[in-house]
Amino acid sequence: MADDTTDTKSSNQMWGGRFASGPDAIMEEINASIGFDKKLFAQDIRGSIAHATMLAHQGIISTDDKDKIVHGLNTILSEIESGNFEFSRQLEDIHMNVEARLATLIGPAAGRLHTARSRNDQVALDFRLWVKEELQKTEQMLTGLIAAFLDRAEEHAESVMPGFTHLQTAQPVTFGHHCMAYVEMFGRDRSRVRHAIEHLDESPIGAAALAGTGYPIDRHMTAKALGFREPTRNSIDTVSDRDFAIEFLSIAAIAGMHLSRLAEEIVIWSTPQFSFVRLSDAFSTGSSIMPQKKNPDAAELVRAKTGRINGSLVALLTIMKGLPLAYSKDMQEDKEQVFDAAESLELAIAAMTGMVRDMTVNTARMKAAAGSGYSTATDLADWLVREAGLPFRDAHHVTGRAVALAESKGCDLAELPLSDLQAIHVDITDKVYDVLTVEASVASRKSFGGTAPSEVRRQIAFWRARN
Ligand code: ARG
């Protein structure tokens, strides 16, 4: 389609009516989105089929034209799916690539498809459909990760490990309890995903460019056909809103933060110094120079993916923050951020699910570590409160002296002879030894949500029923 009156470049066949010449090469390069928005082809075609069907139902186009359009669109769908579709950058984006091909396939009837809509509501629709599907996929993947943790928690409801604060040994906990902490985190992520699906479940199509349309369209019909709860209520907001994408990225950022904390724990736990867990060869790599090494690369990459996801969230918030209503082309930059974050999040959840199921838990090592660092000092203080009637502050002081003594003797609290303990406080009896073991310590913490195996099993049962 060379334009012989002005220069060698052709004006755009979709909107070129008032344009004498085509775009400068750099204009085409900055303007085109087909390189990434071709990912939306299936949503674009579904949306167009629903729109054309509604137009015919309302008598806005003929049934004959609608049939040609639907048939043509289905042909294009299979062409793209089978890799037999040539995408053109001159046609800018997925919407115009599909429509131009439709014109080639069915002729003038193709020109009726764009009645009563605009690319502004079209892209809002395609992208919303895509994000909705991605959220549904994320919900399922999180459910898989939660299930992996529930299984490990069940297996290790009684396995004792050190609980940390400041990464210093604090009090003994069970590994099952620690696993259930992640179930809570990913459970919250999953409910955020479910809320986001509720939030975005409104159909944008029919908002047209920004003001709605004079054609007698039925937006409830298209909303229903596309699986949305209802149509959006304000056409200006509809074409200028990308909250659904920002919500997706926020959820991804929070879930990414959780995944990164888990990744960090796996990195620490798998060091020879900790040796709490061992990853199989399936989830680690070797070093090209140090033969003894086994590196937790997958966990490290999950930790790093979080940086990309956060970057995408900040990028889209920044893209949107100063835009006047309604649509501006800036918004075209929304998709790459979401696509990249979605890919990172999927990979990160899949990798962590794999690692949680794969890792070998070294319970002997965890138990030994749980008993070191005077982790049952609080239990001694609690015993003094309960059995000797001391105020907690005094019991804390007495216990501090016992810890100092054990430290100077290079032994554990439970290894101090009774005479030593009685020299610190006369009311201490040999019954105290019952609470100084790590097993007794965890078993005693039966408060709701506490680390006692019985409580951990209650938490597991709650989450199994909740799924
Ligand atoms: N490719 C565009 C985007 O992703 C589609 C909407 C274009 N609308 C417009 N008025 N130029 O945002």
Side-chain angles (χ1 to χ4, degrees):
M1 283 204 308
D3 185 330
D4 47 13
T5 58
T6 49
D7 63 26
T8 53
K9 286 177 231 144
S10 59
S11 65
N12 187 289
Q13 56 173 302
M14 292 294 149
W15 43 252
R18 66 178 284 264
F19 285 75
S21 79
D24 189 86
I26 197 72
M27 176 61 205
E28 189 179 293
E29 186 163 346
I30 196 170
N31 201 33
S33 54
I34 189 63
F36 48 86
D37 68 15
K38 60 180 166 205
K39 237 190 164 79
L40 301 175
F41 75 91
Q43 290 78 13
D44 194 70
I45 290 172
R46 260 175 72 204
S48 288
I49 290 175
H51 181 66
T53 306
M54 180 278 292
L55 290 177
H57 184 262
Q58 297 298 102
I60 300 167
I61 65 171
S62 71
T63 306
D64 191 40
D65 283 344
K66 182 262 291 178
D67 290 342
K68 284 189 193 135
I69 289 170
V70 171
H71 186 260
L73 288 169
N74 280 321
T75 305
I76 296 169
L77 183 64
S78 40
E79 285 176 353
I80 300 178
E81 277 171 346
S82 61
N84 291 315
F85 188 93
E86 218 179 296
F87 291 101
S88 150
R89 202 170 73 168
Q90 277 172 342
L91 291 167
E92 268 186 61
D93 55 27
I94 185 63
H95 324 296
M96 298 208 288
N97 269 268
V98 170
E99 201 184 315
R101 176 69 185 143
L102 189 64
T104 313
L105 285 173
I106 68 167
R112 301 198 183 275
L113 171 60
H114 213 53
T115 314
R117 77 171 183 188
S118 146
R119 274 189 296 156
N120 296 349
D121 57 341
Q122 193 179 354
V123 73
L125 170 65
D126 296 2
F127 198 29
R128 234 180 233 248
L129 284 172
W130 194 93
V131 171
K132 186 178 174 186
E133 284 163 34
E134 189 61 31
L135 284 165
Q136 286 162 341
K137 195 190 271 181
T138 308
E139 181 184 359
Q140 280 183 2
M141 294 189 75
L142 286 170
T143 298
L145 177 55
I146 289 168
F149 268 119
L150 287 173
D151 289 347
R152 296 317 300 256
E154 195 135 49
E155 186 188 335
H156 291 288
E158 318 236 352
S159 308
V160 180
M161 72 180 280
F164 299 93
T165 59
H166 314 266
L167 198 55
Q168 305 286 323
T169 301
Q171 292 171 345
V173 295
T174 60
F175 184 59
H177 194 214
H178 199 102
C179 287
M180 291 307 292
Y182 282 102
V183 169
E184 294 288 335
M185 290 178 241
F186 295 121
R188 284 194 295 274
D189 291 331
R190 191 176 57 178
S191 49
R192 270 185 280 274
V193 167
R194 288 173 180 164
H195 279 131
I197 294 172
E198 286 269 312
H199 246 160
L200 68 58
D201 212 10
E202 298 175 353
S203 171
I205 194 74
L210 81 165
T213 175
Y215 294 98
I217 59 171
D218 182 349
R219 294 192 58 209
H220 293 273
M221 180 179 172
T222 38
K224 193 159 175 237
L226 292 164
F228 287 108
R229 189 179 57 232
E230 59 194 334
T232 54
R233 275 172 309 277
N234 181 300
S235 58
I236 296 174
D237 175 55
T238 302
V239 293
S240 53
D241 164 42
R242 290 296 180 270
D243 289 6
F244 60 94
I246 295 171
E247 277 191 30
F248 172 76
L249 291 173
S250 319
I251 292 167
I254 297 174
M257 174 270 292
H258 293 148
L259 289 160
S260 182
R261 294 181 80 170
L262 171 60
E264 172 65 3
E265 296 215 293
I266 289 183
V267 169
I268 295 174
W269 290 345
S270 61
T271 56
Q273 289 75 9
F274 262 80
S275 293
F276 282 6
V277 302
R278 210 170 60 85
L279 293 171
S280 76
D281 293 352
F283 281 97
S284 33
T285 60
S287 157
S288 54
I289 176 167
M290 297 163 283
Q292 86 283 8
K293 288 198 74 182
K294 216 169 167 190
N295 297 327
D297 293 38
E300 293 167 86
L301 287 164
V302 167
R303 200 170 53 184
K305 293 284 181 205
T306 314
R308 288 174 76 129
I309 296 172
N310 292 351
S312 294
L313 171 62
V314 173
L316 189 52
L317 283 170
T318 311
I319 289 163
M320 297 300 295
K321 70 174 264 301
L323 297 187
L325 305 186
Y327 178 85
S328 292
K329 195 61 174 263
D330 311 48
M331 291 163 68
Q332 174 166 287
E333 294 280 318
D334 55 3
K335 289 168 221 49
E336 284 167 293
Q337 303 304 333
V338 169
F339 293 159
D340 188 79
E343 193 180 320
S344 296
L345 184 64
E346 275 186 38
L347 258 175
I349 299 176
M352 291 322 298
T353 307
M355 272 181 270
V356 168
R357 289 210 178 273
D358 170 89
M359 66 190 177
T360 309
V361 180
N362 189 340
T363 49
R365 179 77 201 139
M366 279 184 178
K367 188 179 164 187
S372 72
Y374 308 104
S375 66
T376 56
T378 319
D379 298 273
L380 173 55
D382 288 341
W383 187 91
L384 286 163
V385 169
R386 206 171 52 240
E387 306 295 328
L390 267 64
F392 183 78
R393 279 291 151 226
D394 297 347
H396 185 283
H397 186 76
V398 169
T399 305
R401 288 179 55 206
V403 168
L405 182 63
E407 214 164 24
S408 72
K409 291 190 155 193
C411 69
D412 281 339
L413 279 177
E415 287 162 0
L416 285 175
L418 186 60
S419 55
D420 277 358
L421 288 170
Q422 284 174 336
I424 295 170
H425 199 283
V426 286
D427 292 339
I428 297 180
T429 70
D430 64 352
K431 286 256 182 274
V432 79
Y433 292 102
D434 292 347
V435 302
L436 296 182
T437 66
V438 287
E439 284 83 1
S441 170
V442 297
S444 74
R445 295 204 152 69
K446 287 199 188 77
S447 55
F448 188 86
T451 203
S454 56
E455 263 313 303
V456 172
R457 290 206 173 88
R458 184 215 298 278
Q459 296 165 31
I460 295 170
F462 170 85
W463 278 100
R464 288 229 190 264
R466 194 178 200 192
N467 259 358

